Each structure stands twice: as C-alpha cells, then as structure tokens.
Amino acid sequence: MSQPILINSLDFARERREISTRDIAVADLPRLADALASRDGVLSWSVSGHVDRLHRPTLRLKVSGDVMLACQRCLEPLPHRIDTDTLITQFTDEERLEAACDEDEDLDGILAEEELDVLALIEDEVLLGLPLAPRHDDCRPDAIEKAKADKPNPFAVLAALKRKPD
C-alpha cells in the first residue's frame, strides 16, 4: 500500500499548487481493487489548485488508466477505460456546501481539510465513475453457458423430493 499524500486543501487551492502527473498501481487502492476483476493496472493522476470565478477554492483532479471489471452477464473480464477530469469545489462549512449543491446540481463539493488524502480522493472519484452493472456489448455464448453451469440449480432439491407415480 502506498503512503498517503496529504495536502492542506485550502492552501493548496489558494496558492495554485500542482502535483503533476504521477502513477499509482491499482493494487495500492484497496477499495478500488476490491471492486475489480483484476488488481493489475496503473492509474495516472494529477491534481491542481485553483480559485473559481466566485472566489471559491477548487481542486482539479485528473485520473486516467485502464482497469479490468467483471461482466455481470458472462463473468468474463471486461476492460474499462477511466478518463476523468473533475473540478471539486471546497467549502469551509456544511451549510455552505449544502446550499451550493442545492443551487447547482452538477457541483462536486467537499468540505476543506487540513490533511486531505489525495489518494483517497482519487479512489473515491474512480469508484463513483465505475458502471453499476458492467457488461460486454455482445458476450460470448460459451462464457454465458459456463457461468450458468457453475451455478447449482436451486430447484434440484425439489426434484429429489418429488415421488414417482406408482
């Protein structure tokens, strides 16, 4: 597991700091790795601080890479491209955050933190962007049959209980 990358999110944004493109192994993001078919892969990311037109501190988070999901139809691996560019607006109190989110449904907002874990933020953004039920456009028939064959028939017990006619 990688060491956390901690930033003071308000200072980072106000001072317009940047952490340029870096790579992290998918296996080093445990919540993400548990949601995937394979822990293989690398994600490239960068984060930069800004102040928006309303003078609110923001973080721009970019993440890209390929991960392997499990198709929910055939259970075979399904490659998935991650390519996010998210602008996250920071607020110092919950009331302002809620009011801003009520006003703008598309706003991605968080509470500012003195020690924001950038890797946790990356993991959260990627998890939010994964499809709920990933599926191939066209699954191989043999893979579907194999997935069906691996599951026991829940009604097989009933067949054993059924008496043969005399």
Side-chain angles (χ1 to χ4, degrees):
M1 170 111 180
S2 293
Q3 293 292 326
I5 298 173
L6 303 175
I7 62 170
N8 180 316
S9 62
L10 285 176
D11 290 346
F12 191 89
R14 288 181 181 140
E15 295 170 9
R16 293 173 168 75
R17 288 192 228 155
E18 182 176 339
I19 299 175
S20 58
T21 303
R22 294 190 182 180
D23 290 341
I24 185 165
V26 170
D28 288 339
L29 301 171
R31 290 181 297 135
L32 175 61
D34 289 345
L36 303 176
S38 168
R39 291 176 173 260
D40 296 337
V42 174
L43 297 176
S44 298
W45 64 272
S46 64
V47 64
S48 57
H50 306 274
V51 177
D52 70 7
R53 61 181 173 79
L54 299 174
H55 306 287
R56 300 178 300 196
T58 62
L59 299 173
R60 168 159 264 136
L61 178 64
K62 295 181 181 183
V63 183
S64 62
D66 294 303
V67 295
M68 201 61 76
L69 303 175
C71 173
Q72 296 301 299
R73 193 176 307 150
C74 69
L75 304 178
E76 291 292 314
L78 171 68
H80 179 73
R81 178 75 186 160
I82 294 171
D83 199 9
T84 65
D85 184 355
T86 307
L87 189 63
I88 304 165
T89 306
Q90 301 181 81
F91 296 88
T92 54
D93 65 63
E94 189 88 30
E95 288 178 13
R96 287 186 180 154
L97 173 60
E98 288 177 13
C101 288
D102 289 344
E103 200 172 293
D104 181 0
E105 291 179 8
D106 295 329
L107 180 77
D108 286 326
I110 62 170
L111 287 175
E113 295 181 33
E114 285 186 24
E115 289 189 341
L116 177 70
D117 184 351
V118 176
L119 297 182
L121 186 65
I122 291 167
E123 196 169 25
D124 290 343
E125 284 299 312
V126 173
L127 284 167
L128 288 171
L130 293 179
L132 291 177
R135 292 182 296 227
H136 290 107
D137 291 334
D138 186 26
C139 294
R140 296 188 340 256
D142 58 324
I144 293 173
E145 290 304 314
K146 180 180 180 278
K148 287 180 183 176
D150 288 345
K151 294 181 182 177
N153 184 341
F155 299 106
V157 162
L158 296 175
L161 294 175
K162 187 176 174 183
R163 291 187 178 184
K164 293 183 182 180
D166 290 333

